[in-house]
């Protein structure tokens, strides 16, 4: 029998990767998202923005005293790089 493949998806409400345990989106998840949305960067940013709002709300419920800055984690890496 083959090994079961566990996808790199968010485990909510902790927002850690179900596969590797890193903060989600982890590097493998980012790569998969870039490939899935390779022709729709705006769609990717809108999708990630919605997830960032969900993550902010869920993480705030778990720890009301600490509100993490999630911009770089969810959106900063996905912005198109300058092609100079």
């Amino acid at each position: 029998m083959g090994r079961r493949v566990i996808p790199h998806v968010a485990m909510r409400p902790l927002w850690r990767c179900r596969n590797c345990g890193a903060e989600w989106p982890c590097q493998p998840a980012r790569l998969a998202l870039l490939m899935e949305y390779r022709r729709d960067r705006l769609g990717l940013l809108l999708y990630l923005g919605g997830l960032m709002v969900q993550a902010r709300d869920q993480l705030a419920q778990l720890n009301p005293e600490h509100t993490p800055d999630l911009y770089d984690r969810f959106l900063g890496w996905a912005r198109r790089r300058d092609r100079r």
Side-chain angles (χ1 to χ4, degrees):
M1 271 189 232
R3 289 178 23 158
R4 191 176 113 208
V5 176
I6 300 170
H8 290 269
V9 295
M11 181 175 39
R12 300 174 189 200
L14 299 175
W15 288 89
R16 298 199 74 80
C17 178
R18 218 173 263 290
N19 183 309
C20 65
E23 288 185 339
W24 195 90
C26 59
Q27 287 298 337
R30 290 176 181 191
L31 180 58
L33 287 164
L34 285 172
M35 290 174 58
E36 181 178 346
Y37 286 90
R38 68 182 158 269
R39 290 187 173 86
D40 187 10
R41 187 61 60 111
L42 178 59
L44 173 61
L45 292 170
L46 291 171
Y47 174 67
L48 290 170
L51 293 177
M52 183 176 72
V53 170
Q54 291 177 35
R56 181 201 62 211
D57 293 346
Q58 291 175 4
L59 291 170
Q61 286 180 346
L62 293 175
N63 187 357
E65 292 82 33
H66 176 67
T67 304
D69 181 6
L70 300 173
Y71 176 83
D72 286 334
R73 181 172 163 183
F74 280 85
L75 294 171
W77 66 268
R79 294 188 58 205
R80 192 176 300 276
R81 302 290 184 245
D82 192 6
R83 296 184 187 186
R84 291 182 196 186

